[in-house]
Amino acid sequence: MSSNHDPNCIFCKIAEGKIPSKKVYEDEEVLAFHDIHPWAPVHFLLIPKRHIVSMAHVQDGDAPLLGKIMALVPKLAQQEGCRPYPEGGFRVVTNTGADGGQEVPHLHFHVIGGPRPWLKG
Ligand code: AMP
Ligand code: ZN
């Protein structure tokens, strides 16, 4: 469904397979892949394949998709090596807009974890 993609968006290109990524998970609606500049032992991004610009653009109808993404977080975090709660755990971050520090304007959830120290955070 190419109309769901922005041809100038790097994460749309990753979702379409036009730019390679180190995949963690994929289904028809969702992709997870390693962050290219990880700042912790575990650092991957979860994105909707459909081009949603940011959390500020999320609408009521997106709730099932976002719920699905959130429900994937603990499974994929464990799969990628985050240690069990509560000694382990992970961080979920969604930067939104300029004040929120968002660099890539395609909604993404950072999942960050693993033993400290981390480069950031
Ligand atoms: P944000 O600042 O929240 O928009 O984060 C964007 C993230 O995307 C950064 O952590 C980048 O390292 C990551 N990133 C940018 N380009 C790529 C890429 N081609 N593959 C994987 N991660 C990327
Ligand atoms: Zn996009």
Side-chain angles (χ1 to χ4, degrees):
M1 290 202 279
S2 57
S3 61
N4 286 327
H5 292 128
D6 176 337
N8 299 313
C9 171
I10 186 169
F11 285 0
C12 282
K13 288 179 187 167
I14 288 175
E16 292 177 289
K18 291 178 177 169
I19 290 179
S21 67
K22 203 173 159 199
K23 281 179 199 171
V24 165
Y25 172 86
E26 181 171 23
D27 66 29
E28 60 285 350
E29 294 179 304
V30 175
L31 179 68
F33 54 97
H34 289 274
D35 195 293
I36 204 165
H37 294 127
W39 41 280
V42 177
H43 188 170
F44 63 89
L45 305 173
L46 258 167
I47 68 168
K49 287 187 171 177
R50 182 157 59 82
H51 185 74
I52 300 172
V53 173
S54 80
M55 275 301 280
H57 297 74
V58 166
Q59 300 180 334
D60 290 350
D62 298 320
L65 175 61
L66 266 63
K68 176 179 176 174
I69 288 173
M70 287 297 104
L72 280 165
V73 167
K75 293 181 207 172
L76 299 183
Q78 184 183 26
Q79 174 189 304
E80 293 306 305
C82 292
R83 297 175 297 171
Y85 180 94
E87 292 80 11
F90 47 82
R91 180 176 290 176
V92 183
V93 174
T94 302
N95 300 322
T96 305
D99 284 350
Q102 183 178 8
E103 291 175 3
V104 177
H106 179 129
L107 177 61
H108 53 281
F109 298 87
H110 296 256
V111 181
I112 303 152
R116 288 174 180 268
W118 297 353
L119 286 179
K120 289 197 267 180

